[in-house]
Amino acid sequence: MNNQELSIEEQVLIANYRQLCDEKLQLQIELNKVAQERDHYKSELEKVLEKPAE
C-alpha cells in the first residue's frame, strides 16, 4: 500500500506515529546515558564510603 492509497488523515497518523517512535528512541538513549552516569557516581560514592576516615 503506498501513500496515494491512504487518506490525508491516515498519512498524518503514520507521520505522527513515526515521530513518536523517533522521540521514544531519543528518550531511551538519553535515559541510558543518565543511568550510566548514575551508576558511575554510585560507584564513586561507594569507593569514597569504603575508605577509612583519615
Side-chain angles (χ1 to χ4, degrees):
M1 183 183 296
N2 61 36
N3 283 352
Q4 293 171 345
E5 296 172 357
L6 299 175
S7 72
I8 298 296
E9 289 177 0
E10 289 170 323
Q11 292 179 43
V12 167
L13 286 172
I14 290 169
N16 287 344
Y17 177 77
R18 288 179 177 158
Q19 183 177 354
L20 287 171
C21 288
D22 289 345
E23 290 175 12
K24 179 183 176 189
L25 179 59
Q26 290 302 317
L27 287 170
Q28 287 173 325
I29 290 169
E30 188 65 26
L31 184 60
N32 286 340
K33 288 179 186 176
V34 170
Q36 288 175 349
E37 201 172 329
R38 177 205 61 209
D39 292 345
H40 168 74
Y41 286 117
K42 182 178 178 184
S43 172
E44 292 296 308
L45 179 61
E46 288 171 352
K47 287 178 191 174
V48 169
L49 293 175
E50 288 173 3
K51 287 185 180 178
E54 295 179 11

